[in-house]
Amino acid sequence: MDVRGFRLTGVPPDFFDDPYRYYAALREQDPVHELENGAVFLTRYEDVVALYRDARASSDKRVEFRPKFGDSPLYEHHTTSLVFNDPPLHTRVRRIIMGAVNQKAIARMEPNVARLVDALLAEIAEKREANFIDEFAAQIPIEVIGNLLDIPRAERSPLRGGSVAILSGLEPKLTAQMLDAGNRAVTDFIEYLKVLIAERRRKPGDYGSDVLTRLIQGERDGEKLTEKELYHQCIFLLNAGHETTTNLIGNGLWALLNNPGELARLRADPALVPSAIEEMLRHDGPIQLNNRRLTAPMTLSGKTLAKDTLVTIGIGAANHDPGQFPDPERFDVARKPNRHVAFGQGDHVCVGMNVARMEGRIALGKLLQRFAKIELAGEPERDRRIRFRGFRKLPVRVG
Ligand code: HEM
């Protein structure tokens, strides 16, 4: 395959079903591949990890997003949230959030997730057929994130659509419609948050477990967030753990259905569920791309990149690098070691990774326990985006 002209803004139609073939060709032929305007795309594991860990790799997106979003709500959001900032804002916000998603907090969340999953499975058992994404996978993160910020249940249903619209703004290629939807979603979220935050200021929650109360009050001995900073951390949190976790569960089931031997192995030994979740994250992870800008020159795979180079990190590509993962296309529920980069690495490594792992473990573990037979009940429909990888529809029949 000749990938000399490969562009993330114009991928071939068959890329969506299997991007990994393209990533493999890039890794072999041109691991630091030039895109438009001198930007580059990394596909080797070693380069990806080196960049994630390097202080010259900035997450500040102001230069990149100004021409993309103009002066708009999407620009304000994506340049204020912690993920697209460097220290000091990044460090401050990260510390505040971390305290509410540590192992103790996750252990407290578990029984509630287990109850929800049991209830969802009981409904599916009755109907025998379901769209696994809408009726199962997406319901779990809505509950978890909604609880983290203590959003009233009746107000949770717009969260998923808003989150998809805002994160779609990060795709390499945007339509006017995607921009409109993203901007509208940011504006709507802010209007909603103004009320929620005013209410929480009046009636604070538990500082130990309520992320919104923590963000409002800031670190006990530190600076407070401004109102604008507060809105955008909340919006990011609502979005970050949403579609990603939905797609971990959806892509995970898809991998099991396509690998009946591994499905049987997992059924026979449920102790493998945690390593199966890691393999799902590696093999077909929910986030395929991240970005950085170089604040000083850096050499990767023998190529010296100038200061200000925009770098796209190939997460899925690194996770299929045979130099790190023997037989990388093989889905192996017991793979060890499995040092994948599905959650990124370095200073910005996913804050919610253990929350997502817990959700995946309970969702898929209980699904397999509940149903001896799970099969496709129709044509699955892929979400045709390239940063976020998942399904819109995954019709299943259970028995
Ligand atoms: C399978 C599900 C998930 C995946 C694959 C995922 C992936 C990622 C990745 C790759 C990053 C790094 C971005 C970068 O370096 O530019 C990240 C950051 C982040 N994630 Fe996740 N995530 C998931 C679930 C969650 C959940 C459930 C939460 C919240 C409860 C969450 C909260 C965050 C936050 C706050 C950051 C920003 C961290 C920082 O900038 O320091 N994520 N995630």
Side-chain angles (χ1 to χ4, degrees):
M1 183 190 300
D2 182 358
V3 285
R4 269 174 298 185
F6 180 86
R7 293 285 177 266
L8 288 165
T9 46
V11 295
D14 63 353
F15 181 87
F16 298 99
D17 279 333
D18 183 7
Y20 303 106
R21 278 190 324 128
Y22 289 89
Y23 296 154
L26 282 163
R27 201 186 309 108
E28 281 156 24
Q29 296 168 30
D30 193 16
V32 185
H33 178 70
E34 218 165 289
L35 302 168
E36 295 93 332
N37 311 321
V40 295
F41 180 41
L42 304 183
T43 44
R44 287 186 56 205
Y45 182 87
E46 252 179 52
D47 291 338
V48 163
V49 169
L51 186 80
Y52 268 133
R53 291 183 178 162
D54 200 292
R56 289 168 286 184
S58 166
S59 285
D60 185 323
K61 299 287 187 288
R62 280 173 296 184
V63 172
E64 196 178 342
F65 285 173
R66 196 64 190 196
K68 187 169 180 173
F69 297 131
D71 183 9
S72 66
L74 269 178
Y75 178 78
E76 182 177 286
H77 171 64
H78 285 309
T79 53
T80 312
S81 77
L82 80 157
V83 73
F84 296 147
N85 266 280
D86 295 330
L89 177 71
H90 169 252
T91 325
R92 223 157 22 106
V93 177
R94 188 174 169 99
R95 271 206 303 257
I96 298 172
I97 297 174
M98 287 286 280
V101 288
N102 55 27
Q103 289 301 349
K104 227 167 85 191
I106 294 171
R108 275 201 305 266
M109 296 174 197
E110 273 204 47
N112 182 45
V113 173
R115 261 194 311 275
L116 171 72
V117 167
D118 283 337
L120 293 170
L121 292 176
E123 277 172 37
I124 295 176
E126 213 158 278
K127 296 193 329 192
R128 311 197 61 95
E129 283 193 12
N131 173 5
F132 188 73
I133 303 299
D134 285 352
E135 293 165 67
F136 185 71
Q139 298 301 322
I140 301 160
I142 290 185
E143 172 77 7
V144 169
I145 302 289
N147 287 351
L148 262 181
L149 288 155
D150 201 10
I151 295 194
R153 281 221 159 62
E155 293 164 18
R156 290 179 186 181
S157 55
L159 297 183
R160 183 170 170 221
S163 138
V164 171
I166 292 171
L167 292 181
S168 293
L170 300 176
E171 283 295 294
K173 195 168 170 190
L174 281 183
T175 62
Q177 205 183 12
M178 283 159 96
L179 270 174
D180 274 1
N183 280 315
R184 228 173 313 117
V186 175
T187 310
D188 291 349
F189 262 126
I190 290 179
E191 284 313 306
Y192 174 71
L193 286 168
K194 280 182 184 164
V195 180
L196 190 76
I197 289 169
E199 183 58 32
R200 199 67 49 89
R201 281 191 200 283
R202 269 196 302 276
K203 243 175 89 188
D206 170 21
Y207 189 84
S209 62
D210 177 30
V211 176
L212 185 51
T213 300
R214 294 177 77 86
L215 288 168
I216 291 171
Q217 296 184 357
E219 286 176 282
R220 285 280 149 95
D221 48 357
E223 226 178 306
K224 303 247 180 295
L225 299 180
T226 65
E227 200 69 12
K228 184 179 103 174
E229 286 169 349
L230 188 52
Y231 297 147
H232 294 296
Q233 312 318 320
C234 290
I235 297 177
F236 180 68
L237 257 181
L238 289 171
N239 297 343
H242 220 121
E243 229 200 323
T244 46
T245 314
T246 303
N247 290 341
L248 160 62
I249 299 168
N251 294 355
L253 177 64
W254 177 247
L256 291 173
L257 294 178
N258 282 297
N259 293 277
E262 293 302 291
L263 173 58
R265 195 175 168 205
L266 190 56
R267 283 191 184 285
D269 185 1
L272 289 176
V273 169
S275 66
I277 298 293
E278 297 310 307
E279 180 67 342
M280 289 163 188
L281 287 158
R282 181 199 72 82
H283 185 259
D284 202 17
I287 298 192
Q288 294 277 316
L289 308 174
N290 269 172
N291 299 84
R292 295 293 189 269
R293 188 172 48 82
L294 294 185
T295 58
M298 185 170 178
T299 303
L300 292 166
S301 282
K303 210 176 201 171
T304 299
L305 305 172
K307 174 178 180 290
D308 290 328
T309 301
L310 296 174
V311 185
T312 297
I313 297 169
I315 295 179
N319 283 339
H320 282 244
D321 186 336
Q324 176 67 22
F325 304 100
D327 200 0
E329 301 315 313
R330 181 163 172 247
F331 177 73
D332 172 0
V333 292
R335 185 180 287 273
K336 267 205 183 85
N338 190 351
R339 286 188 279 270
H340 63 75
V341 288
F343 291 117
Q345 270 224 356
D347 291 350
H348 286 269
V349 70
C350 180
V351 168
M353 60 185 170
N354 291 326
V355 178
R357 286 176 164 133
M358 175 271 288
E359 293 178 57
R361 188 167 43 74
I362 295 181
L364 291 165
K366 280 187 173 283
L367 175 80
L368 300 188
Q369 246 172 27
R370 183 80 163 80
F371 302 119
K373 205 169 111 194
I374 306 163
E375 59 189 17
L376 273 185
E379 203 49 39
E381 188 185 317
R382 262 199 190 283
D383 185 339
R384 295 173 76 79
R385 289 179 299 162
I386 58 178
R387 177 176 303 268
F388 298 98
R389 185 160 175 78
F391 290 90
R392 286 169 198 263
K393 288 199 187 120
L394 197 52
V396 293
R397 187 178 304 115
V398 297

